[in-house]
Amino acid sequence: MQRGDRLTLIPITGNAIVDTPGHILRFSAPTQRQPYDHDRTAFLQEAHKQIGAMRDAALLHPSIRTDILGTLAVAGEEFAADTQGDRQIQRNQSLVVLSDFIEDDSAYRFAFDPALASDVDARTLADRLRKDACLALDGVRIRLSTLESTDLRSLTPQRQRAIRAF
């Protein structure tokens, strides 16, 4: 991170609206340089400590379900809140999603849902959800990075392709 950069980490939980508040990590890199970059060193040490604690908590208490779509809505709220006071400042905003992309919440179960039986069905569902969703992600660069999971590997190749198409 460069001076003045901001980073927000949002865990993917089983119910993003209920489970996520209080578990979001927000970091702002210092803008005032101290001798020998002490400010930056202290910032990075604290960030690594908090991220490690988040990782350890996720490993100790993994979520049974994954509400990826709800987490995207929370991310949209974070982006909107980040720019509210700084309307005149041009920000380069990016969203990186690390997941196996198997949505598994009360509304969708991608591992079994007939709406993801094929690539075509998955794209149709994605288009419908994109039109219905109120995600504040306009102008945000998005990078999707797949994390292999045992759940993903257990799905048929056709279902895996459909999830990627979604």
Side-chain angles (χ1 to χ4, degrees):
M1 293 178 63
Q2 303 298 320
R3 295 194 180 282
D5 285 352
R6 297 185 209 181
L7 172 68
T8 303
L9 297 176
I10 305 170
I12 298 174
T13 61
N15 183 338
I17 303 301
V18 174
D19 299 336
T20 303
H23 298 285
I24 297 173
L25 298 180
R26 295 172 186 90
F27 301 101
S28 292
T31 56
Q32 299 296 321
R33 185 174 187 267
Q34 293 178 355
Y36 305 106
D37 285 336
H38 176 71
D39 58 313
R40 189 163 152 57
T41 302
F43 166 75
L44 291 173
Q45 287 174 344
E46 182 61 25
H48 282 284
K49 180 178 149 188
Q50 289 183 34
I51 293 168
M54 177 187 265
R55 180 200 61 228
D56 293 345
L59 291 172
L60 282 173
H61 305 287
S63 190
I64 295 171
R65 305 253 183 206
T66 51
D67 182 11
I68 300 163
L69 299 173
T71 303
L72 291 175
V74 171
E77 292 171 8
E78 287 288 320
F79 281 118
D82 184 47
T83 58
Q84 276 181 341
D86 300 329
R87 287 278 179 217
Q88 54 281 51
I89 296 174
Q90 181 71 22
R91 293 207 183 274
N92 292 322
Q93 296 180 317
S94 298
L95 172 66
V96 178
V97 181
L98 304 171
S99 175
D100 62 6
F101 297 102
I102 303 174
E103 176 78 8
D104 186 19
D105 66 1
S106 60
Y108 297 100
R109 301 211 50 209
F110 281 12
F112 309 104
D113 199 311
L116 277 94
S118 71
D119 296 13
V120 172
D121 294 334
R123 285 187 188 97
T124 301
L125 176 63
D127 288 340
R128 183 173 58 79
L129 289 176
R130 186 177 14 254
K131 290 174 186 165
D132 293 347
C134 296
L135 302 178
L137 298 174
D138 292 335
V140 175
R141 288 184 313 235
I142 300 174
R143 178 182 172 106
L144 306 176
S145 297
T146 303
L147 293 176
E148 289 289 326
S149 69
T150 53
D151 292 338
L152 185 63
R153 279 186 245 128
S154 69
L155 300 177
T156 65
Q158 180 177 347
R159 179 68 60 163
Q160 290 178 28
R161 281 191 304 276
I163 290 171
R164 276 193 299 277
F166 177 83

